[in-house]
Amino acid sequence: MGIFVNFQHASVLKGYLFHVSDHVRRRPQVNDDEEKSKSSDGYCQAGREHGDQSRVVFSFAGSLSVNDWFAGGSFGDMEVDLRLFPSLKYVGLDELGRVNEAFFKRFKAVLANPKFELEVRKAVDEKRKVVFTGHSSGGAIAILATVWFLEVNSRLTNFIEPLCLTFGSPLVGDRIINIALRREKWSRCFVNFVMRLDIVPRISLSPLSSIWHQLQRVLDYFNQNPQQPPADAPDFYETVVRNASSVANYAACKIMGSTNPLLETASSFIELSPYRPLGTYVFCTGTGKLVEVSNADAVLQVLFYSSQLSTVEEKVTVAQTSLRDHLNYENYLKECLRTPTVTSLFHLHQEANVDMDLNDLGLSERASLCLRAAEALERQKLRNQNTVDGKQIAIEKCLGDLEIYKSKCAHKAGYYDAFKSSDQKEDFHANVSRLELAGIWDEIIEMLKRHELPDEFEGQEKWIRLGTRYRRIVEPLDIANYYRHLKNEDTGPYMGKGRPRRYKCTQKWREHAEKLGEEFPGSCFWAEVEELWIRSGYLGTRESILQLKTKAEKWIGEEEVGDDVLLENSTFMKLQRQHGLAS
C-alpha cells in the first residue's frame, strides 16, 4: 500500500501542483516477503522518474499490521531519540517532543540498512532534490525520514531542501514537534494530502485500547479491498470521531483562552492524544477543490469538524466512505490535478471565499468559530512578537549602561567584586539596570512558557545574540547578589536551585543554534569561585581551582568572561594565592 509521486517544482503549493507529471501512481500491493525482496529495507523504494536526473524520490509503503501502528501505552508515544532528532525539542524550556514509537521503530529499520543512507548521500552529493513520500502509515515513515534528512544535511553549503509528500498519513508527533519544525524553518518541507472523510489521519487521536481489534479488520480491508467494508466500520468511525472530539474541543478551549478550572480538571483524568498535525495540509474537498491549511491548530479542527455527521442515518454511508477514501487518492488527484483549484484558508482577503472553503469542507458555524480563533491566536502571537521586539531598545540601553559600569570597575577589584561590595552610587545604578533587565527577560520567558510567542522565536538570530550578550554581562551580577545576601545558605549553590530560568533559556538557545554540547557556562564562572571559597578546606579543592583557572583562560579568549577576573585584588586571584597557585 503506497503512492509514488513524481515532483518537479515546490516553490508554492499551487505552483508544484501544476508541475506534477503523471500525477499520482499507486505502488502495487505486495505481501511482506515480496516487498522485502524488491526494496532495500522492506519499506522503501528509491527511483528517478522518466529519466529526470534533477530529483530522487523515496517512497515508503504502509503497513497492514496493527503492531506497526501502535506500541507501548495508550497512544503508543515515546520521547524523541535526540541522537537522531536533536532539534525536536522546545529548546529553552528543555521539553522533548514525543513521536509514535511504532513508526519510529519502522524508520529505524529503514535507517539500519546502509543502502538507504547510501542512496540519500549520493543524491545529496549530486545536488539532486530529495523527495520522501508515502501513503497511509508509509507517510508517517516519510515524515520521520525527512526530519532525519534535515537534521543531517540542513547546514551543508548549497543545501537543497527536501520535500515530504504524504497521502492519508496518520499523525506522527506532538505539539513540540510542530514547534521545533517551525523554529527550524523546516515546516514548509511537509505537505500532507487528506481526503475529506479519510479516517486514517484521525486514528492517532484515539487510544489503542478503544480501536485495536477494529483497526486490524480495517487494515485487512485495505489489503483485500473487497466490495464492502467490515461490518463494524460504523462503530470504528464513531469511536475515532468521538475521541477526536475530545482532543479538538479541549484544544479549542485553550485557543479561545478559556479560564474555566473544569477544563484542567477534566484533562487530568481524561487521557487525551498527544498527537498534533505538522506542516501544510491539503484537504481534498470532494468538489474538485483543494484547500490548503498551514495553521496546526486550524488543521486539528478541520480534521474533527469535517468528519461530522449531518444525520444519524448517514453514519453507515459516511463510515464506509471514510475507508474507501483512504484508497482513492490516486483516482481523485489524477482528476483534480488536471485543472487544480487551490485555495489557502484564511489567507484570502475576500470573506466570501473563506466561507465557500468552509462549506466545501462541510464545516459548521461552530467549526468556523474555532478556525477563526486559531487564526486570531496566530495573529496575536505576531503582535506579541512586535511588543517584545519593541523592548530591544530598553535592553540595549541597560546593557550599554552596565558595560560602562564594568569599564569603570577595572581600576578596582573588578566588575564582580565591585558589585558584590555595592558601596558606591554606581553600584546602586547597576543594580537598577540588573533588575529592569530581569523583569523584561522573565516576561519573555513566561510568554514562551505560555506559548504566546511565534514558534519561530527561539530560533531568531537577533534574540539568540541578544540573549547571549545579556547572560554574559548580567549573570555575574546575579551571582554576586546571590552570595552577598547568603541565599546559598537557604537554597544551596547557585548552580543548583538558584540559577534563574532566563539564563538557562538563553544559554540553551545559543548551544542549539551553534550545535554546542551542554557544558558549564562561562557566565557562571563566579558561582564556581564562590563554591570553591566555601569548600576551601576540603580535599581536592586545589585541583578544582587549577581546572577552573584553565577554563578561565579559555573563556577569556572566547569573551565568555572578562579579563578583570585576573585583577590582583579579585576574589579569584585571592583564592589562588590562598592555595599557593598565583603566578
Side-chain angles (χ1 to χ4, degrees):
M1 179 169 52
I3 283 186
F4 196 91
V5 175
N6 190 25
F7 173 81
Q8 291 230 4
H9 184 59
S11 59
V12 293
L13 178 63
K14 192 169 183 179
Y16 79 65
L17 286 176
F18 275 117
H19 290 84
V20 172
S21 302
D22 284 347
H23 315 309
V24 182
R25 174 165 61 84
R26 175 122 13 126
R27 287 173 55 199
Q29 295 181 10
V30 294
N31 64 42
D32 288 344
D33 291 336
E34 291 171 336
E35 183 69 19
K36 289 177 181 178
S37 67
K38 64 188 287 188
S39 68
S40 62
D41 47 50
Y43 299 113
C44 173
Q45 286 186 337
R48 299 172 178 82
E49 286 285 291
H50 301 300
D52 189 334
Q53 297 299 307
S54 65
R55 62 195 178 278
V56 178
V57 181
F58 293 86
S59 178
F60 298 87
S63 171
L64 299 172
S65 169
V66 71
N67 292 318
D68 286 334
W69 288 68
F70 285 97
S74 297
F75 296 97
D77 55 308
M78 58 171 277
E79 285 190 342
V80 295
D81 185 340
L82 290 180
R83 292 169 297 180
L84 284 179
F85 303 123
S87 298
L88 298 189
K89 58 187 177 183
Y90 204 177
V91 176
L93 301 179
D94 208 22
E95 295 179 27
L96 298 186
R98 301 188 71 84
V99 296
N100 180 294
E101 184 176 355
F103 297 155
F104 174 72
K105 287 179 177 177
R106 288 187 61 205
F107 169 66
K108 282 192 71 175
V110 172
L111 198 58
N113 192 310
K115 291 183 180 179
F116 169 73
E117 195 165 354
L118 187 64
E119 285 288 333
V120 172
R121 175 53 49 201
K122 182 179 179 183
V124 171
D125 291 343
E126 295 174 353
K127 299 292 189 292
R128 304 184 194 280
K129 187 172 188 74
V130 175
V131 180
F132 297 101
T133 187
H135 174 245
S136 195
S137 62
I141 313 308
I143 288 171
L144 294 175
T146 306
V147 176
W148 166 80
F149 180 92
L150 288 160
E151 294 277 19
V152 172
N153 299 294
S154 61
R155 291 176 177 268
L156 296 177
T157 306
N158 299 321
F159 172 64
I160 300 174
E161 278 190 345
L163 179 69
C164 179
L165 295 173
T166 75
F167 302 86
S169 172
L171 303 179
V172 177
D174 68 354
R175 182 177 185 176
I176 301 298
I177 304 296
N178 186 55
I179 290 173
L181 294 180
R182 288 173 63 88
R183 181 194 64 237
E184 302 296 326
K185 297 182 174 60
W186 293 348
S187 186
R188 62 195 175 198
C189 299
F190 300 84
V191 181
N192 309 283
F193 287 88
V194 174
M195 297 286 284
R196 176 188 156 190
L197 291 176
D198 183 359
I199 198 64
V200 171
R202 293 135 169 122
I203 284 176
S204 299
L205 299 176
S206 296
L208 178 59
S209 60
S210 68
I211 59 172
W212 175 274
H213 298 294
Q214 294 170 322
L215 177 56
Q216 186 57 68
R217 285 192 288 272
V218 165
L219 295 175
D220 292 339
Y221 163 75
F222 290 155
N223 184 34
Q224 299 162 8
N225 199 9
Q227 196 70 23
Q228 285 296 324
D232 55 357
D235 292 336
F236 176 71
Y237 185 86
E238 186 175 42
T239 300
V240 171
V241 173
R242 184 174 62 250
N243 283 289
S245 171
S246 299
V247 177
N249 286 327
Y250 177 79
C253 288
K254 300 290 283 186
I255 290 169
M256 295 178 184
S258 173
T259 57
N260 190 333
L262 289 177
L263 182 66
E264 294 305 322
T265 302
S267 66
S268 66
F269 63 83
I270 298 175
E271 192 174 13
L272 297 175
S273 170
Y275 298 109
R276 294 296 182 271
L278 60 83
T280 296
Y281 272 68
V282 183
F283 288 93
C284 309
T285 64
T287 65
K289 182 189 291 186
L290 301 174
V291 179
E292 177 246 341
V293 189
S294 55
N295 180 313
D297 291 322
V299 171
L300 180 63
Q301 299 302 319
V302 173
L303 284 173
F304 167 58
Y305 280 105
S306 63
S307 63
Q308 293 301 288
L309 302 174
S310 300
T311 64
V312 176
E313 289 73 21
E314 68 178 7
K315 183 171 75 169
V316 174
T317 303
V318 170
Q320 292 177 347
T321 303
S322 73
L323 300 184
R324 292 186 179 126
D325 271 2
H326 187 62
L327 301 174
N328 202 35
Y329 284 90
E330 176 186 8
N331 295 330
Y332 183 85
L333 288 174
K334 270 187 178 180
E335 184 63 33
C336 190
L337 294 177
R338 295 184 194 279
T339 54
T341 302
V342 185
T343 60
S344 186
L345 195 62
F346 293 128
H347 287 261
L348 301 172
H349 298 294
Q350 297 180 358
E351 193 71 15
N353 288 336
V354 174
D355 291 338
M356 193 178 302
D357 289 340
L358 296 178
N359 289 333
D360 288 336
L361 289 168
L363 302 183
S364 64
E365 185 175 342
R366 177 175 172 78
S368 175
L369 290 174
C370 292
L371 292 173
R372 292 172 197 277
E375 195 68 17
L377 178 61
E378 196 68 25
R379 289 195 296 269
Q380 181 59 52
K381 288 182 179 181
L382 292 173
R383 287 193 291 271
N384 292 343
Q385 167 90 60
N386 290 334
T387 300
V388 169
D389 286 345
K391 297 180 184 293
Q392 283 184 266
I393 296 175
I395 293 174
E396 295 277 4
K397 181 184 181 305
C398 287
L399 291 178
D401 290 344
L402 288 175
E403 285 175 333
I404 292 171
Y405 168 71
K406 182 176 182 178
S407 66
K408 288 181 178 179
C409 294
H411 67 281
K412 305 177 186 177
Y415 180 54
Y416 177 82
D417 288 285
F419 187 80
K420 189 178 179 184
S421 299
S422 287
D423 53 10
Q424 301 293 324
K425 183 178 179 180
E426 291 86 351
D427 305 325
F428 172 79
H429 291 309
N431 194 44
V432 171
S433 295
R434 177 184 75 89
L435 293 173
E436 184 177 345
L437 286 167
I440 294 173
W441 280 97
D442 283 345
E443 183 182 358
I444 292 172
I445 301 306
E446 279 303 307
M447 291 177 76
L448 278 173
K449 187 178 177 181
R450 296 192 300 263
H451 300 285
E452 293 175 354
L453 290 171
D455 297 335
E456 296 84 353
F457 184 84
E458 286 193 312
Q460 292 176 0
E461 185 179 345
K462 63 181 178 182
W463 282 102
I464 295 171
R465 190 168 56 246
L466 193 59
T468 299
R469 183 183 170 205
Y470 163 69
R471 178 173 55 81
R472 289 174 173 176
I473 294 173
V474 184
E475 188 162 20
L477 303 186
D478 266 30
I479 295 169
N481 185 72
Y482 188 84
Y483 285 95
R484 177 173 183 251
H485 293 286
L486 304 177
K487 292 182 181 180
N488 58 300
E489 294 185 0
D490 295 324
T491 311
Y494 175 84
M495 292 303 292
K497 297 180 180 179
R499 194 182 189 207
R501 177 175 281 174
R502 57 183 177 270
Y503 297 125
K504 296 176 183 178
C505 282
T506 50
Q507 177 191 338
K508 289 181 182 300
W509 292 353
R510 176 175 177 255
E511 288 173 347
H512 179 74
E514 299 182 16
K515 301 298 181 187
L516 304 173
E518 291 187 19
E519 57 182 27
F520 189 88
S523 59
C524 295
F525 166 81
W526 287 108
E528 185 68 11
V529 171
E530 293 285 359
E531 290 301 317
L532 288 172
W533 263 112
I534 293 170
R535 301 197 308 267
S536 270
Y538 285 67
L539 186 66
T541 300
R542 194 171 189 276
E543 289 71 19
S544 296
I545 295 171
L546 280 171
Q547 292 173 7
L548 186 59
K549 184 178 180 181
T550 301
K551 289 180 183 177
E553 293 170 355
K554 171 177 172 287
W555 285 331
I556 291 171
E558 296 171 349
E559 298 184 345
E560 277 278 331
V561 172
D563 57 8
D564 61 337
V565 304
L566 301 179
L567 289 174
E568 185 178 352
N569 292 322
S570 75
T571 300
F572 183 49
M573 294 305 293
K574 290 178 181 177
L575 180 66
Q576 291 187 62
R577 283 197 294 272
Q578 186 185 65
H579 290 80
L581 296 172
S583 54

